[in-house]
């Protein structure tokens, strides 16, 4: 009986992802506006079209550190979730970390590419006028309540990113918890700010399917524990194109002997 249920879930996930990929191929032939309408949240697509992104993206702790906004359409979020959770996280194994592009997850790779092409450059201008470097990093994380060691536990500690700009959008559900907490020292003192600490200001972003955050890489943040359910996250990281070394930063960093499985990708989500 369990095998039958798993097979049905797998078939449903394949159908959702395959249907989305077919619709995306058709939208790509129709033009950029059709891709926006399929992949992006309607509010984001409208804000990109009429240059009102600053009003849509709500500050988290500080407008110069992080912004929260709707990112993915329901169809795109469902397709990414279907691919990520075809093999659901279990209590016996840590949540999966996956690099993009991934031939086994074409919808997720396509959504990452569309976000990079259509949304990330404009989102980057909310924080700086410097353009983004042509190559970046893309990966996914899956969290489960009884397997809390996602990404080796690093995401659950206050940390900064290896980026100038990071985008993270949640998919899946239902879940409870796993909010994103940002913190900074009010006096600008050096060191890692811990929420609740003396002189530390903190704010929380509550994840929802298709909704996400964009923040500067040196913003201190952490993911709170997941109380129940399971959640996936699609993450895009970029450097600014303001120094020659940044143009190949991810290729150099993630092809070293200590590299993880995350490839260098260009703004279309393709392997370099």
């Amino acid at each position: 009986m369990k095998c039958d249920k798993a097979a049905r879930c797998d078939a449903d996930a394949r159908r959702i992802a395959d249907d989305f990929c077919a619709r995306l191929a058709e939208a790509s032939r129709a033009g950029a506006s059709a891709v926006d309408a399929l992949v992006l949240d309607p509010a984001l697509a409208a804000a990109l079209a009429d240059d009102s992104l600053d009003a849509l993206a709500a500050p988290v702790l500080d407008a110069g550190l992080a912004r929260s906004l709707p990112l993915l359409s329901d169809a795109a979020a469902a397709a990414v979730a279907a691919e990520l959770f075809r093999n659901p996280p279990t209590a016996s194994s840590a949540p999966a970390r996956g690099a993009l592009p991934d031939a086994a997850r074409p919808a997720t790779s396509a959504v990452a590419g569309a976000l990079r092409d259509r949304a990330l450059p404009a989102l980057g201008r909310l924080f700086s006028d410097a353009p983004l470097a042509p190559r970046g990093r893309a990966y996914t994380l899956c969290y489960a309540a009884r397997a809390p060691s996602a990404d080796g536990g690093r995401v659950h500690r206050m940390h900064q990113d290896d980026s100038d700009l990071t985008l993270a959008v949640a998919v899946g559900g239902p879940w409870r918890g796993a909010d994103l907490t940002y913190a900074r020292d009010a006096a600008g003192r050096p060191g890692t700010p811990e929420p609740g600490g003396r002189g530390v200001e903190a704010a929380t972003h509550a994840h929802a399917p298709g909704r996400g955050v964009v923040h500067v890489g040196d913003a201190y943040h952490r993911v709170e524990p997941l109380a129940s359910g399971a959640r996936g996250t699609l993450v895009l990281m970029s450097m600014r194109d303001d120094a020659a070394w940044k143009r190949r930063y991810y290729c150099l960093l993630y092809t070293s002997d200590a590299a993880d499985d995350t490839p260098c990708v260009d703004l279309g989500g393709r392997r370099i």
Side-chain angles (χ1 to χ4, degrees), residues 1-270:
M1 188 71 90
K2 288 184 178 180
C3 291
D4 290 343
K5 183 177 180 181
R8 287 195 300 272
C9 290
D10 184 71
D12 288 344
R14 285 181 181 273
R15 176 184 53 76
I16 292 170
D18 289 348
D19 177 68
F20 178 81
C21 286
R23 293 171 61 192
L24 183 59
E26 182 177 347
S28 297
R29 291 190 291 270
S33 61
V35 173
D36 286 357
L38 178 61
V39 175
L40 305 181
D41 183 279
L44 175 59
L48 290 171
D50 64 13
D51 198 25
S52 60
L53 199 55
D54 185 61
L56 177 67
V60 182
L61 187 60
D62 185 282
L65 289 179
R67 301 287 194 106
S68 169
L69 73 164
L71 290 168
L72 294 182
S73 68
D74 291 344
V80 173
E83 289 185 338
L84 291 185
F85 291 101
R86 279 178 59 190
N87 296 306
T90 65
S92 61
S93 63
R97 176 184 182 141
L100 297 175
D102 185 344
R105 292 181 294 165
T108 305
S109 294
V111 168
L115 280 173
R116 285 188 180 280
D117 285 340
R118 306 298 302 154
L120 203 61
L123 291 168
R125 288 193 291 272
L126 293 175
F127 303 94
S128 170
D129 290 332
L132 298 177
R135 297 182 176 92
R137 182 186 183 198
Y139 63 94
T140 57
L141 285 170
C142 293
Y143 302 86
R146 292 174 294 174
S149 56
D151 203 22
R154 177 178 180 270
V155 295
H156 300 298
R157 301 187 295 270
M158 296 303 298
H159 66 280
Q160 298 171 306
D161 291 336
D162 293 323
S163 71
D164 284 332
L165 186 73
T166 297
L167 178 153
V169 56
V171 299
W175 71 78
R176 185 167 57 87
D179 294 334
L180 194 58
T181 297
Y182 291 89
R184 66 177 179 183
D185 188 278
R189 292 170 295 191
T192 302
E194 293 294 341
R198 181 180 176 184
V200 173
E201 300 173 334
T204 298
H205 160 79
H207 278 296
R211 189 173 182 89
V213 289
V214 182
H215 62 247
V216 295
D218 57 3
Y220 278 99
H221 59 287
R222 73 183 181 201
V223 178
E224 300 299 334
L226 187 65
S228 63
R231 174 171 71 78
T233 305
L234 171 61
V235 181
L236 307 181
M237 291 184 176
S238 291
M239 285 291 185
R240 298 284 178 184
D241 196 8
D242 54 9
W245 64 268
K246 290 185 177 183
R247 294 170 190 158
R248 291 194 57 81
Y249 173 75
Y250 293 111
C251 293
L252 296 174
L253 181 64
Y254 295 106
T255 54
S256 68
D257 291 339
D260 63 13
D261 62 354
T262 306
C264 175
V265 298
D266 68 12
L267 289 186
R270 295 173 291 274

